[in-house]
Amino acid sequence: MNSVLAASSTNLDFSLAQQLTVIALCALTAFISHMALAVFNDGVRPFMLDFIQGRSTRNATTAVSFGLSAGFIFGLGAPMALSTGVLNPWLVFLPTDILGILSPKKWIAPLLGGAWGAVVVFGLNGANSLAHDLPVDFLTALQQMSTPILFLFTLFPVLAITKQFGRLRGGIAAVVELALVVMTMKVWPDVFPGSIAMAVGVLTLIGFAINKDLTQRKLERAEAAKAVAAGESLPDEKAERNTERNTGKDRGKDGAADDADDPMASLFSASALRLRRYLPLFMLLGAGVCVLAQAHVFGGGEATSFLIAKGDYSEAAQVDFYRAFGFVPLIATTALASGAYGIAGFTFVYPIGYLMPNPFLAAVVGAAVFAIEVLALSAIGRVLGKLPSVRDSSEHLRSAIGDALGLAILFGSLMAANVMGGGLGILIVGGLYLLNESMGRPVVRMAAAPAAVIVGGVLLNILYWLDLFTPIKG
């Protein structure tokens, strides 16, 4: 598998159908954001409840969205798209979050979103061509990130297992994953080496978590049985049940509990009901996202963008499928708590879209997937409440993904800096990254290094025009 993309593979020329898909989807996502039905940024979603209930203004919520999204748009989304030739959710969906919430009128939101989609499909290629014509081609240099991102991303299940279940199990998982990567490279050289290793790692983590929860349940049942046998707490339990029957607080005929005494249950129920009322709109959204993924001009993550650019669609589907497990609990709980869903749902439409044979089938399947997700939100919330270790695994997975990609992006950015300008390039890019850290990270850490490469590339070009720098050949 080639570690670096060919320059020609980063061309951002889109067909008419692809252009219309991006523009239409941006218009739709901006409209949905305006309605406060869904946003892409997980950090913004908890703020949507105050907006929905009128405790926060549109301008204030827009400021929050912009503050939490700008770094990802300009520091990660744009550089990744320009260096891979593949669109990504930070570039496509984060701006429509902002534009949708910002829009003062419902009919203006899709116009703003569609305008952003037009900027993406018509403007990026011009910027891409201009950058490739510069003496210091920092976009081609950014392709150096592909190898560290693809290979270090493989380790995220190992990190999650280590954080949740300790060094011994983490060490064993690391050895197993390394052996699987080596075996894959030797036996199936055309397959992404980390695909099998990631699958085994994620399944192992989930297996550990489920086993822990089941074991804990058995212990609790055993303790309860001992207490009953010893005659402990049984009278209290009977009295409590009698009180519930007498006051009418027991479950009704439909099996639903009285939510009046449980504010969180009441809120979750209201949020789920609100989202279900707009089910046709969510199905349209699912169809659009799945069609965009099927067009193979869009990748759902950092590693996925490089795999899509290389034409490794099945490997990209595997990567995004495993990644989704880290975000299902977060998206489900924040959606139930805030009443705002995720623009990409649980993100399972990404891998499904990559594998669809045509856009028509992708639209049907994407709509069905979103319908199932929205209708199942309440049930998923209840299941997660009964499996605390699985819920914790999700937190550890997300943290591990961030750690692995953070190192990979930083290392890849320094490799890009070396390609651009050798030691001087490393000094500028590394210095900008360290300066961002010392200033309290005005640019989020994940986006700081790619942004530093672009700024460093511009500075090196200026130095070249001032006859103070000679580009490295190669």
Side-chain angles (χ1 to χ4, degrees), residues 202-222:
V202 171
L203 291 174
T204 301
L205 174 65
I206 295 174
F208 284 155
I210 292 176
N211 180 68
K212 182 178 179 180
D213 284 334
L214 293 178
T215 301
Q216 183 63 32
R217 279 192 175 186
K218 289 180 180 178
L219 290 174
E220 291 175 354
R221 284 197 295 267

Side-chain angles (χ1 to χ4, degrees), residues 152 211 287 293 354:
L152 287 176
N211 180 68
Y354 304 149

Side-chain angles (χ1 to χ4, degrees), residues 272-329:
L273 183 61
R274 177 177 186 265
L275 295 176
R276 288 175 187 169
R277 282 202 301 266
Y278 293 93
L279 186 61
L281 193 58
F282 281 114
M283 293 175 68
L284 182 61
L285 175 62
V289 175
C290 201
V291 168
L292 182 62
Q294 192 279 331
H296 299 149
V297 296
F298 175 90
E302 300 87 343
T304 314
S305 294
F306 287 107
L307 289 170
I308 292 291
K310 295 174 183 179
D312 297 332
Y313 307 131
S314 60
E315 286 84 354
Q318 292 180 61
V319 169
D320 271 353
F321 180 76
Y322 307 141
R323 182 187 183 123
F325 284 104
F327 291 88
V328 168

Side-chain angles (χ1 to χ4, degrees), residues 29 38-41 45 89 93 285-286 289 298 300 331 341-350 369-370 373:
T29 53
V39 289
F40 180 77
N41 194 322
R45 198 172 302 115
F93 298 142
L285 175 62
V289 175
F298 175 90
I331 294 170
Y341 196 40
I343 285 293
F346 293 144
T347 72
F348 288 115
V349 286
Y350 293 161
V369 169
F370 256 54
E373 290 181 1

Side-chain angles (χ1 to χ4, degrees), residues 29-52:
T29 53
F31 177 76
I32 289 175
S33 174
H34 175 85
M35 297 281 288
L37 291 173
V39 289
F40 180 77
N41 194 322
D42 295 322
V44 174
R45 198 172 302 115
F47 293 92
M48 298 304 289
L49 180 62
D50 285 342
F51 176 62
I52 292 168

Side-chain angles (χ1 to χ4, degrees), residues 177-301:
E177 280 212 4
L178 178 60
L180 290 171
V181 168
V182 173
M183 183 189 72
T184 304
M185 295 177 71
K186 184 68 175 178
V187 180
W188 303 290
D190 295 330
V191 175
F192 172 49
S195 58
I196 297 176
M198 279 190 290
V200 171
V202 171
L203 291 174
T204 301
L205 174 65
I206 295 174
F208 284 155
I210 292 176
N211 180 68
K212 182 178 179 180
D213 284 334
L214 293 178
T215 301
Q216 183 63 32
R217 279 192 175 186
K218 289 180 180 178
L219 290 174
E220 291 175 354
R221 284 197 295 267
E223 291 176 358
K226 288 181 181 178
V228 170
E232 298 176 4
S233 75
L234 186 58
D236 293 337
E237 291 173 0
K238 287 182 177 178
E240 182 179 350
R241 287 197 294 269
N242 290 333
T243 300
E244 288 179 350
R245 292 191 186 99
N246 293 333
T247 58
K249 292 181 181 178
D250 59 325
R251 293 182 179 272
K253 294 180 180 179
D254 58 354
D258 184 5
D259 291 337
D261 294 332
D262 189 347
M264 288 306 296
S266 178
L267 175 62
F268 280 19
S269 177
S271 297
L273 183 61
R274 177 177 186 265
L275 295 176
R276 288 175 187 169
R277 282 202 301 266
Y278 293 93
L279 186 61
L281 193 58
F282 281 114
M283 293 175 68
L284 182 61
L285 175 62
V289 175
C290 201
V291 168
L292 182 62
Q294 192 279 331
H296 299 149
V297 296
F298 175 90

Side-chain angles (χ1 to χ4, degrees), residues 356-372:
M356 288 291 102
N358 61 70
F360 304 104
L361 183 59
V364 173
V365 174
V369 169
F370 256 54
I372 293 170

